[in-house]
Amino acid sequence: MLTTKQKQLLRRAVLYPSMVITEMFVCFLLPFLWLLLIMIDDLVLQGQELFTVGFYAMPVLVFILLIILMGQGLYIQRATRKEDWMEMVKMAKGKLEDPETNMLLEKAANVGFLTASLMTPEGFYAGTRMVAEARLLKRMKAIRNTAIQMCILFREKIPNRIPYMLAMIFVPVIILVGLYGFRYIDTIQTNRADAQRTAQVIYHIEDIFETTCADIYAQDPLEKFDRDGYTISADLYEEDMITYDSSHISIEVNNQGQIESVDYRLGVNILDTKENNLVRMEQELDKLYSLLMETQVEMTSENFRVKPYFPPAIIDKFMSHSYYEDFSGESLEAFHIGYITQEEENYEPYGETYFYFSMED
């Protein structure tokens, strides 16, 4: 009945369209899986660096699938326009006139090979027309359904499409998930090691601060990892909110155990003279700076080691302005200084009035 070449074509006409349809859906869904894996890496595990292999893996996999899809789709579309396919269609039309045909098609429909619309000659003719006329997805379905019907008519074994379809689904998924699985293991191990190293630095700074300061706040990396780093701050004394804020120092420590940010805040007592405030703030600034130097922790910038001070221009502004007039101050090579307060008519008993020193990286 059928030649070896026609049997091979019939087999491909069943398999290739099924694979093309599967590949189309995988190409559509794979980016969503990729985004989910990135979100887990970024938001849940807090990967500290871009996972370049995983970042480019998805586009590469989709590109490969598109190449396979186009190759299979173009091949089977061209093959169904050639003489071997046309000859099989003519032979199948002849088979449709055989009285035993209806029985064969009904049995096939009962086991799920065919839909009701394909159990009639009209359904077969519609399918062969759609092979040439419909768009890609419908055309692939038409080729597959027509090929399945011809397999039944010619009493040829219908190829099992499931293993091929599952391969098209699970191979790219396994590759992508596998890559990110190794990434997750590495991220967890790296973050744990970084947290342990950074925790020792923070504990050391905390011990130094406890010798002088009254109130200390520190984030513990061993309790909660944070790829953006950790804050440790210390007040020189318990806050007296009615007179002035407690002068304090705030430090950011990164996951390499380095100090990457230093800020000082010096509370101003609006009930005292400006001269007394300046003397006290300079003394407190010296204490806070001495504590920082005593830690002897590695810093990302040598500017953090520069001792901050009140420039003459800032002293003049402070002395000539009211307690209730703030100013942004000025930027020097190593730090920026400014004065924060509130307008007198809006000033509250617990209002904040202070000088700040932001050390520049």
Side-chain angles (χ1 to χ4, degrees):
M1 290 289 295
L2 298 180
T3 65
T4 303
K5 187 176 180 181
Q6 287 174 328
K7 290 180 180 179
Q8 188 178 43
L9 174 58
L10 197 57
R11 173 182 171 82
R12 290 174 178 171
V14 175
L15 294 178
Y16 282 13
S18 300
M19 294 171 68
V20 167
I21 294 169
T22 303
E23 289 155 3
M24 289 174 66
F25 283 104
V26 172
C27 287
F28 175 75
L29 295 174
L30 202 61
F32 292 97
L33 173 63
W34 177 66
L35 289 174
L36 175 63
L37 294 171
I38 289 177
M39 288 175 63
I40 293 172
D41 179 57
D42 185 50
L43 302 178
V44 179
L45 299 180
Q46 297 197 59
Q48 299 184 58
E49 297 177 353
L50 175 66
F51 183 40
T52 53
V53 175
F55 185 80
Y56 291 110
M58 187 281 296
V60 170
L61 288 171
V62 169
F63 178 76
I64 292 172
L65 285 173
L66 287 173
I67 294 297
I68 297 172
L69 181 156
M70 292 173 61
Q72 292 176 330
L74 289 173
Y75 168 81
I76 202 62
Q77 288 185 80
R78 290 180 179 179
T80 52
R81 296 192 185 103
K82 292 185 178 179
E83 184 178 351
D84 287 326
W85 180 264
M86 296 302 178
E87 185 177 342
M88 284 193 292
V89 170
K90 290 179 182 178
M91 293 169 61
K93 288 179 179 179
K95 284 281 186 179
L96 288 172
E97 300 174 1
D98 191 329
E100 296 182 2
T101 298
N102 288 338
M103 189 184 303
L104 284 172
L105 295 177
E106 287 176 6
K107 289 181 179 179
N110 289 335
V111 296
F113 281 122
L114 292 171
T115 62
S117 63
L118 294 175
M119 287 177 57
T120 63
E122 291 78 11
F124 178 80
Y125 299 148
T128 56
R129 286 196 302 271
M130 194 178 293
V131 168
E133 297 172 2
R135 292 185 177 181
L136 180 60
L137 186 59
K138 291 183 177 179
R139 194 178 301 145
M140 291 297 106
K141 290 181 179 179
I143 292 173
R144 180 195 62 193
N145 293 338
T146 302
I148 290 174
Q149 195 166 6
M150 286 198 290
C151 285
I152 295 168
L153 293 173
F154 296 129
R155 290 180 170 81
E156 294 289 335
K157 183 180 179 181
I158 299 175
N160 187 0
R161 299 163 286 160
I162 302 302
Y164 297 93
M165 295 168 67
L166 291 178
M168 290 297 102
I169 295 171
F170 286 107
V171 168
V173 169
I174 289 172
I175 292 174
L176 198 59
V177 172
L179 287 173
Y180 273 91
F182 285 112
R183 160 70 171 186
Y184 294 161
I185 293 171
D186 179 67
T187 297
I188 292 170
Q189 292 175 343
T190 300
N191 290 355
R192 184 180 293 123
D194 287 349
Q196 291 173 345
R197 177 179 59 246
T198 306
Q200 297 306 313
V201 173
I202 290 178
Y203 297 159
H204 170 67
I205 296 174
E206 194 172 7
D207 289 340
I208 299 297
F209 285 175
E210 284 179 348
T211 61
T212 304
C213 298
D215 189 17
I216 300 169
Y217 166 79
Q219 292 178 303
D220 191 342
L222 299 182
E223 292 182 2
K224 184 179 180 181
F225 177 83
D226 188 344
R227 66 175 168 210
D228 295 324
Y230 309 89
T231 300
I232 177 168
S233 60
D235 294 343
L236 276 177
Y237 35 74
E238 295 293 341
E239 288 201 22
D240 181 355
M241 300 298 291
I242 296 178
T243 55
Y244 52 83
D245 294 325
S246 173
S247 296
H248 79 270
I249 183 172
S250 180
I251 297 172
E252 296 286 336
V253 180
N254 63 24
N255 280 288
Q256 285 68 53
Q258 303 167 313
I259 293 176
E260 63 177 5
S261 172
V262 179
D263 293 293
Y264 302 89
R265 193 169 90 169
L266 306 173
V268 175
N269 185 355
I270 63 173
L271 304 180
D272 200 355
T273 65
K274 293 180 178 178
E275 290 81 3
N276 288 343
N277 270 300
L278 281 173
V279 171
R280 175 184 52 78
M281 286 189 293
E282 287 176 345
Q283 293 172 348
E284 291 173 351
L285 188 57
D286 288 344
K287 287 182 182 179
L288 294 172
Y289 174 76
S290 298
L291 289 173
L292 176 66
M293 292 299 99
E294 191 176 345
T295 63
Q296 297 183 341
V297 173
E298 183 181 353
M299 301 181 184
T300 58
S301 173
E302 288 301 311
N303 283 348
F304 299 153
R305 301 184 188 278
V306 174
K307 184 177 180 180
Y309 60 91
F310 286 91
I314 293 297
I315 295 176
D316 291 342
K317 278 187 179 182
F318 180 58
M319 298 300 293
S320 61
H321 285 65
S322 163
Y323 275 131
Y324 308 102
E325 295 179 79
D326 59 11
F327 49 86
S328 60
E330 61 180 84
S331 293
L332 285 80
E333 183 177 350
F335 61 87
H336 180 82
I337 180 174
Y339 176 67
I340 301 296
T341 186
Q342 296 176 358
E343 294 180 359
E344 186 172 6
E345 56 269 23
N346 297 325
Y347 202 89
E348 299 176 358
Y350 301 100
E352 293 184 329
T353 303
Y354 58 87
F355 274 94
Y356 65 87
F357 291 81
S358 294
M359 308 308 293
E360 302 291 337
D361 188 351

